[in-house]
Amino acid sequence: DAIYTAQRELPICILTADCLPIFLANKACDEIAIIHGGWRSLAQGILSNTLKCFKSNRQDIIAYFGAAIGASNFEVGNEVKQAFMNIDPELTKAFTQKNNSNKSLADLYKIGEILLRNEGIHQCYSGNFCTYRDKELFYSYRRDGITGRMGNIIWLE
């Protein structure tokens, strides 16, 4: 899921529990988007598709990553790692192989950063949160099995 708008005073929102919310805004503050960055949507090109909505030059777009599951807690199978290797071999930097296992730990923040950089977006920021680790602050489906959702909202004033 992704939402884009250039309309003022229209909040746009996505709900997440462990996936990476990606907020995009241009420097002129007249275009915004918000992306629900799960591993599948990221691997299937949601960033590229959303950026096509912007009229701004890529160097004028800023990204902020909201709270998501951190790299030390997001265990994935080899099919996830392979999906990203097929996009760009540099994405191997976002995976740490677990000992004696066909599992890896995936860093959604790093995946988002590399994919955005490939799209010409070089200003990426985040709060270094982990929905799994920071139980008192965030919901986490991976941690709890059943969970609520967090609303991620952005708007133009």
Side-chain angles (χ1 to χ4, degrees):
D1 302 288
I3 306 167
Y4 163 90
T5 190
Q7 185 174 334
R8 298 204 172 274
E9 299 180 9
L10 176 68
I12 55 178
C13 174
I14 59 162
L15 301 177
T16 60
D18 287 312
C19 293
L20 181 65
I22 304 168
F23 300 83
L24 300 173
N26 68 343
K27 291 179 182 177
C29 294
D30 59 9
E31 293 183 277
I32 57 171
I34 190 164
I35 299 168
H36 183 255
W39 78 263
R40 285 180 183 86
S41 61
L42 290 170
Q44 292 171 356
I46 197 166
L47 288 172
S48 178
N49 290 335
T50 304
L51 287 166
K52 289 176 186 173
C53 297
F54 280 81
K55 294 173 184 70
S56 300
N57 293 323
R58 299 288 170 92
Q59 68 267 19
D60 294 327
I61 298 173
I62 299 168
Y64 179 81
F65 302 129
I69 192 166
S72 60
N73 294 298
F74 187 36
E75 185 178 288
V76 298
N78 283 334
E79 74 283 358
V80 175
K81 184 177 179 180
Q82 191 58 51
F84 287 103
M85 298 309 98
N86 292 341
I87 296 168
D88 182 349
E90 184 183 2
L91 285 161
T92 58
K93 296 176 183 177
F95 294 88
T96 304
Q97 191 73 33
K98 291 190 76 178
N99 291 339
N100 301 320
S101 173
N102 63 349
K103 303 282 187 179
S104 295
L105 294 172
D107 185 342
L108 282 175
Y109 292 100
K110 178 65 77 180
I111 291 169
E113 181 184 340
I114 292 169
L115 292 174
L116 282 168
R117 191 174 57 238
N118 289 349
E119 292 289 336
I121 310 298
H122 297 283
Q123 294 184 61
C124 300
Y125 304 93
S126 73
N128 192 30
F129 296 111
C130 175
T131 54
Y132 188 96
R133 177 192 66 219
D134 301 329
K135 184 175 186 171
E136 63 283 347
L137 297 175
F138 305 111
Y139 294 113
S140 172
Y141 183 79
R142 286 274 178 135
R143 181 189 62 230
D144 301 328
I146 299 173
T147 185
R149 298 290 185 262
M150 295 168 288
N152 299 272
I153 304 169
I154 187 171
W155 68 90
L156 296 167
E157 289 189 326

